[in-house]
């Protein structure tokens, strides 16, 4: 699931760069909380996956807040390296005034992130497609968190665009009428 968002975000960033826009890229794994906090309620807890994996305060402090400022903006593209479970030590970077942030990750229309993004593309997938793309050991956690997100945040109705992506190689845009 995260691989899908990163793949689509990469293509969007490439298209924006081709249109001569400065692009900043980041993803939700760079803002995960440490493993001891993410897995505090067990590895398979879907509510912890939905509520506790992302360092929302850090994302607001280091990315969404600074990028929402008018000028003189500086940001940090990641706080955490999930592979090492340590701080990423990413340097603070200056942001061009006309830069676009492309942020890859699930749950971006949660209540605590609303207003942080100017536009959100929701990737709509069936349970079967999610199961094909995540490790078997992760499927119940991911699907449980995903179902909660769909029910509470209603992303298909709130996103700026919805892509149906049963097969990431062949997305289909859903047009809302």
């Amino acid at each position: 699931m995260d691989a899908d968002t990163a793949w689509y975000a990469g293509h969007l960033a490439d298209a924006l760069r081709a249109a001569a826009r400065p692009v900043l890229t980041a993803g939700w794994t760079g803002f995960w909380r440490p493993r001891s906090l993410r897995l505090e309620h067990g590895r398979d807890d879907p509510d912890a996956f939905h509520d506790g994996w992302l360092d929302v305060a850090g994302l607001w402090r280091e990315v969404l807040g600074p990028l929402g400022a008018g000028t003189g903006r500086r940001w940090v593209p990641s706080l955490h390296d999930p592979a090492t479970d340590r701080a990423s030590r990413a340097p603070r970077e200056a942001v061009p005034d006309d830069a676009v942030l492309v942020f890859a990750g699930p749950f971006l229309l949660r209540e605590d992130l609303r207003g942080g993004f100017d536009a959100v593309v929701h990737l709509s997938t069936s349970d079967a497609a999610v199961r094909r793309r995540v490790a078997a050991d992760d499927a119940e956690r991911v699907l449980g968190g995903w179902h909660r997100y769909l029910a509470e945040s209603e992303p298909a109705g709130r996103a700026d665009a919805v892509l149906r992506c049963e097969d990431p190689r062949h997305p289909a845009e859903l047009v809302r009428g």
Side-chain angles (χ1 to χ4, degrees):
M1 195 162 170
D2 189 45
D4 287 349
T5 63
W7 187 84
Y8 285 107
H11 283 279
L12 176 58
D14 290 344
L16 289 166
R17 284 185 192 105
R21 289 296 301 265
V23 178
L24 311 172
T25 59
W28 93 301
T29 57
F31 291 88
W32 276 358
R33 296 168 72 214
R35 188 175 291 119
S36 63
L37 297 174
R38 288 194 321 266
L39 305 181
E40 183 176 17
H41 299 285
R43 185 183 182 291
D44 300 324
D45 186 309
D47 290 325
F49 179 59
H50 181 275
D51 294 335
W53 281 42
L54 183 66
D55 179 355
V56 174
L59 180 60
W60 274 104
R61 181 183 66 247
E62 304 297 346
V63 179
L64 301 177
L67 294 181
T71 59
R73 302 175 299 169
R74 297 181 63 76
W75 80 307
V76 175
S78 70
L79 291 178
H80 192 78
D81 180 348
T84 62
D85 198 35
R86 299 199 182 280
S88 64
R89 304 222 187 274
R92 188 166 299 281
E93 301 173 5
V95 177
D97 287 340
D98 59 344
V100 175
L101 170 68
V102 176
F103 189 88
F107 311 141
L108 299 183
L109 289 168
R110 286 178 10 183
E111 182 68 34
D112 53 2
L113 292 174
R114 288 189 187 159
F117 299 100
D118 291 335
V120 174
V121 176
H122 172 64
L123 303 180
S124 173
T125 59
S126 68
D127 287 4
V130 171
R131 287 182 190 282
R132 284 191 303 270
R133 297 207 248 330
V134 301
D137 293 350
D138 297 335
E140 294 310 312
R141 177 191 69 237
V142 171
L143 283 170
W146 187 243
H147 290 164
R148 181 175 164 203
Y149 173 65
L150 295 175
E152 292 179 5
S153 301
E154 301 176 0
R158 299 185 63 240
D160 298 278
V162 178
L163 294 180
R164 181 80 179 153
C165 39
E166 293 300 298
D167 179 347
R169 296 167 298 174
H170 305 288
E173 182 177 6
L174 299 179
V175 178
R176 293 180 293 219

